């Protein structure tokens, strides 16, 4: 979108309730100024997450007028009083939990969620706390960097922080969305072998090209858990993004003493769990909600060291955010969907 906003104004998306519907609208607001400890960022690009879709559809209730979207990358235009970490021109990246600096999570650290409990990045200009942003990987475009704060960090935490994946481990990733494709990339970078599942044979070919050794179509092989266990001898780490329907199969796929990171809700939020098989196999399961500022910096360092690049499915213009979400809802994508900012 090239159409400029009028002087001192900017374009921003907001989530608004109209009757029983929740709608994503584009409006003009005053361009913000950074307060003490804040930076003003010109948005270069944002990426879509399943969580953002839940916010804009009203599945996750939020305040009327909330600016949605957690993941954005851009350039610092101005700094507020007392800001020491950033200068005008720095390329920065949002964080999902801007108050979670380091350590384990607690209520205070998870209270503010970008694009959910506080305003997000779907605007021409955004004000963010200086401690709530990180640098971008060296040499990355804003579009590439915008893929990282939610999906990549969750995958990083699943594979590296909680999963502690070692060379030679088998890692299973489910589907071909943002989290799973990054999980494949981090697992391969750690020297692990990967089993990928998908509803699409075409997408499985792409996952094979990215390094998946075993590919299983979960539609034509609904008992993919037993299949994965037979082919590998048992999976060490399972990146569980499906939820109740996939958890049963994940428990079957896991090796004795294996580990599952519970991340997603793609098949819902409750269901039956084969508890006896879970304890007979002496499995471990860890719940994961994204990660901290320190984890984001560790991940960026590892990305640079391993020369990783994100898998970008498609880029849309700022005006096409609704179309971008339609594309995500169709599950037509593999990896990340990007929406570019408005050029300065
Ligand atoms: N806990 C956290 O911190 C956290 C963070 C990020 C995301 N999440 C959750 O993780 C999930 C994935 O998020 P995302 O952003 O990666 O979503 P996404 O990019 O929209 O990915 C969706 C993909 O999931 C796959 N899928 C759908 N149903 C499936 C099933 N029954 N079995 C296996 N795969 C299935 C499909 O892949 P195919 O087309 O290949 O079949 C689909 O394309 C969501 O539930 C999201 O809420 C949680």
């Amino acid at each position: 979108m090239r159409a400029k906003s009028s002087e001192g104004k900017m374009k921003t998306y907001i989530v608004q309730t109209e009757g029983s519907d929740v709608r994503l609208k584009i409006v003009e607001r005053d361009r913000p100024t950074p307060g003490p400890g804040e930076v003003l960022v010109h948005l270069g690009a944002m990426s879509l997450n399943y969580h953002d879709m839940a916010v804009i559809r009203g599945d996750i209730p939020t305040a009327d007028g909330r600016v949605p979207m957690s993941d954005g990358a851009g350039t610092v235009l101005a700094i507020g009083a007392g800001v020491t970490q950033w200068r005008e021109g720095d390329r920065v990246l949002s964080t999902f939990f801007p108050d979670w600096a380091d350590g384990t999570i607690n209520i205070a650290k998870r209270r503010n969620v970008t694009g959910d409990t506080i305003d997000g990045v779907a605007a021409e200009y955004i004000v963010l706390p200086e401690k709530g942003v990180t640098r971008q990987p060296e040499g990355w475009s804003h579009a590439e960097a915008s893929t990282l704060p939610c999906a990549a960090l969750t995958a990083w935490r699943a594979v590296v922080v909680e999963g502690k994946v070692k060379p030679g481990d088998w890692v299973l990733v489910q589907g071909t969305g943002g989290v799973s494709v990054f999980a494949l990339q981090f697992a391969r970078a750690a020297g692990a072998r990967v089993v990928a599942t998908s509803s699409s044979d075409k997408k499985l070919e792409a996952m094979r090209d990215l390094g998946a050794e075993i590919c299983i179509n979960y539609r034509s092989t609904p008992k993919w858990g037993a299949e994965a266990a037979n082919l590998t001898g048992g999976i060490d780490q399972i990146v569980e993004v499906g939820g109740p329907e996939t958890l049963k199969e994940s428990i079957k796929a896991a090796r004795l003493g294996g580990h599952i990171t519970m991340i997603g809700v793609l098949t819902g939020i409750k269901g039956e769990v084969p508890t006896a098989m879970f304890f007979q196999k002496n499995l471990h399961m860890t719940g994961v909600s994204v990660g901290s500022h320190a984890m984001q910096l560790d991940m960026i360092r590892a990305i640079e060291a391993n020369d990783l690049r994100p898998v970008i499915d498609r880029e849309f213009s700022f005006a096409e955010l609704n179309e971008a979400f339609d594309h995500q809802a169709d599950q037509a994508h593999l990896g990340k969907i990007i929406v570019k900012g408005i050029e300065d």
Side-chain angles (χ1 to χ4, degrees), residues 97-103 109 131 292-295:
F97 293 118
D99 298 327
W100 186 5
D102 202 354
K109 291 174 182 177
K131 292 186 176 141
S292 67
H293 188 276
M295 290 177 202

Side-chain angles (χ1 to χ4, degrees), residues 208-226:
R208 202 180 287 285
D209 290 344
L210 288 166
E213 200 172 317
I214 296 174
C215 294
I216 307 174
N217 187 314
Y218 63 80
R219 292 238 191 281
S220 53
T221 309
K223 295 193 187 307
W224 53 265

Side-chain angles (χ1 to χ4, degrees), residues 27-321:
V27 296
E28 206 164 73
R29 276 187 180 169
D30 289 342
R31 185 168 150 168
T33 47
E38 291 177 338
V39 291
L40 174 70
V41 176
H42 174 244
L43 181 87
M46 54 186 153
S47 78
L48 276 63
N49 289 286
Y50 198 82
H51 175 262
D52 303 312
M53 194 156 68
V55 171
I56 64 136
R57 281 176 170 175
D59 297 339
I60 296 178
T62 188
D64 242 9
R66 172 72 70 234
V67 179
M69 309 294 287
S70 62
D71 292 10
T75 307
V76 174
L77 282 189
I79 59 173
V83 169
T84 54
Q85 293 180 42
W86 307 108
R87 284 183 307 193
E88 198 180 312
D90 284 344
R91 295 166 72 85
V92 293
L93 187 55
S94 64
T95 54
F96 191 84
F97 293 118
D99 298 327
W100 186 5
D102 202 354
T104 50
I105 198 156
N106 62 31
I107 289 171
K109 291 174 182 177
R110 60 165 294 163
R111 187 167 295 129
N112 285 335
V113 177
T114 311
D116 179 341
T117 62
I118 56 170
D119 278 345
V121 302
E124 210 173 340
Y125 302 95
I126 43 185
V127 160
L128 295 167
E130 76 159 325
K131 292 186 176 141
V133 296
T134 69
R135 70 181 183 91
Q136 301 181 8
E138 203 62 49
W140 278 33
S141 67
H142 290 312
E144 289 176 311
S146 76
T147 62
L148 296 177
C150 179
L153 188 56
T154 303
W156 169 261
R157 192 164 159 217
V159 171
V160 177
V161 181
E162 310 295 345
K164 300 181 178 59
V165 164
K166 305 181 298 305
D169 278 358
W170 278 106
V171 175
L172 184 142
V173 302
Q174 301 171 347
T176 57
V179 174
S180 300
V181 172
F182 273 118
L184 178 156
Q185 292 178 292
F186 291 139
R188 293 294 296 141
R193 306 167 82 179
V194 174
V195 177
T197 70
S198 174
S199 56
S200 150
D201 289 340
K202 190 159 166 255
K203 288 182 176 183
L204 284 173
E205 277 314 306
M207 293 297 265
R208 202 180 287 285
D209 290 344
L210 288 166
E213 200 172 317
I214 296 174
C215 294
I216 307 174
N217 187 314
Y218 63 80
R219 292 238 191 281
S220 53
T221 309
K223 295 193 187 307
W224 53 265
E227 176 87 350
N230 286 338
L231 292 171
T232 61
I235 304 288
D236 300 278
Q237 298 294 337
I238 295 166
V239 182
E240 175 51 81
V241 297
E245 288 306 314
T246 47
L247 180 59
K248 298 172 202 159
E249 292 304 312
S250 294
I251 290 171
K252 288 185 205 157
R255 70 158 165 83
L256 293 187
H259 183 243
I260 298 171
T261 40
M262 175 51 72
I263 293 169
V265 294
L266 292 166
T267 66
I269 54 168
K270 56 184 175 186
E272 285 175 25
V273 180
T275 49
M277 194 187 297
F278 190 88
F279 68 70
Q280 282 161 1
K281 287 182 123 178
N282 287 242
L283 300 181
H284 306 253
M285 184 155 70
T286 308
V288 161
S289 53
V290 197
S292 67
H293 188 276
M295 290 177 202
Q296 188 157 310
L297 287 174
D298 286 347
M299 173 185 73
I300 289 169
R301 210 165 65 120
I303 280 171
E304 289 170 339
N306 289 280
D307 212 10
L308 297 180
R309 290 280 172 175
V311 176
I312 293 179
D313 177 83
R314 194 165 154 193
E315 292 186 6
F316 291 82
S317 72
F318 192 82
E320 296 173 319
L321 185 56

